[in-house]
Amino acid sequence: MCVNRPPAGKVIARMGWAVLIVGLASAVFFLWRYVQTSRTDVERTTLSLLRSEAVKFLVVRKTTLQVVVQYEEEDWLGHWRGVLWGVAEMLYGIDLDKVTPSDLRRDGDTILVRLPEPRLLAFSVEPGSIDMMTKSTAAPKIADLLHNGQRKLLEERFRQRAMEFATGHDLTPGKAEIVRELNQAVALFRSSGFRVRFE
C-alpha cells in the first residue's frame, strides 16, 4: 500500500507558519493587555459660578426644533461650504418680574392683572446634538483656523433660522392668546372670594 506524504520540507514550512501565527497572536494579545493595564485616565473639571438668580417665568410654549443650516461663501480668495445641525429648544412666555404694582388693580371682587408683552425666555441647544461639516479651499481654511469664523457664522444662522421658523409657524403666541388661555385656566379655580382676570 502506497501512501502519498508531502515532502518533509513542506511539513516543516507549515509548522513554521503555524508557530509564527501563534507567536504573533500571542504578541498582539500581550501587547493589548499591556496597553489596557498601563492606561491612565486623567480628568480635570473646573466649575465657575457666573450667575445664580431667582426667576419668575410663566412658560406658555416650549418648542423643540431640528435645525440644519447650509451655507456657502465665495470670493476672490476661495470658497467654503458648511453644514451645521442640531436640536434647539425655546421657552416662550411671560417674565412675571416685569409685573409691577401699577399693573394690579381691583374691580369689585375681581383682581385685574395687566401682563407684560411675552418674549423668548430661553434658547438652548440640546447637549451632544450639534455637529458641523465644512469644505473649503486653502485661504478660507487658514482664516477659519485662526478665527474659527465659519462655526461662529453657522451658529448665528442656526439661532436666526430657528427663531424665524418659530415666528413664521405661530409657535410664539401673542399676548392676546396668552391672556385668553390664562383666563380660561383660572376660571376653573374660582374661589368664593376673589376672582383673577388677566389682561
Side-chain angles (χ1 to χ4, degrees):
M1 182 175 186
C2 182
V3 177
N4 287 335
R5 293 183 179 172
K10 286 187 177 181
V11 173
I12 293 172
R14 287 179 186 165
M15 289 178 59
W17 278 110
V19 169
L20 180 63
I21 291 170
V22 170
L24 283 174
S26 298
V28 168
F29 174 76
F30 285 114
L31 180 62
W32 178 79
R33 292 284 293 174
Y34 173 76
V35 168
Q36 291 297 314
T37 56
S38 64
R39 176 177 166 177
T40 303
D41 293 340
V42 177
E43 178 180 333
R44 292 182 180 88
T45 304
T46 302
L47 294 132
S48 300
L49 177 62
L50 301 179
R51 184 171 59 244
S52 176
E53 56 187 324
V55 292
K56 299 180 186 74
F57 287 164
L58 176 62
V59 177
V60 297
R61 186 69 54 90
K62 175 182 175 182
T63 303
T64 304
L65 297 173
Q66 170 76 49
V67 183
V68 179
V69 177
Q70 299 180 51
Y71 186 83
E72 188 168 348
E73 192 173 280
E74 186 171 353
D75 59 19
W76 64 275
L77 287 173
H79 71 274
W80 72 273
R81 291 192 303 261
V83 181
L84 182 137
W85 62 92
V87 176
E89 182 178 279
M90 291 178 282
L91 300 180
Y92 190 82
I94 303 286
D95 184 353
L96 295 177
D97 275 335
K98 303 292 184 186
V99 177
T100 64
S102 63
D103 294 320
L104 305 172
R105 70 183 203 281
R106 185 173 169 180
D107 182 15
D109 64 348
T110 302
I111 297 175
L112 302 173
V113 182
R114 185 173 61 236
L115 295 174
E117 289 298 319
R119 65 181 182 87
L120 179 69
L121 301 174
F123 182 96
S124 61
V125 178
E126 186 177 296
S129 74
I130 198 159
D131 210 345
M132 164 180 145
M133 286 192 315
T134 62
K135 181 178 180 182
S136 61
T137 53
K141 186 69 174 176
I142 293 168
D144 184 51
L145 290 172
L146 294 174
H147 305 292
N148 200 23
Q150 294 174 5
R151 186 173 187 97
K152 288 177 185 173
L153 188 145
L154 289 171
E155 286 177 350
E156 288 171 7
R157 295 285 198 281
F158 180 93
R159 181 184 169 98
Q160 289 171 3
R161 299 303 170 255
M163 290 302 303
E164 288 169 5
F165 182 88
T167 303
H169 289 80
D170 296 326
L171 301 176
T172 55
K175 184 177 175 180
E177 183 180 344
I178 293 172
V179 165
R180 185 178 66 253
E181 290 175 358
L182 289 175
N183 284 329
Q184 288 172 351
V186 297
L188 302 174
F189 301 101
R190 287 180 183 164
S191 64
S192 57
F194 290 98
R195 296 190 309 169
V196 175
R197 193 172 82 229
F198 298 95
E199 56 183 19

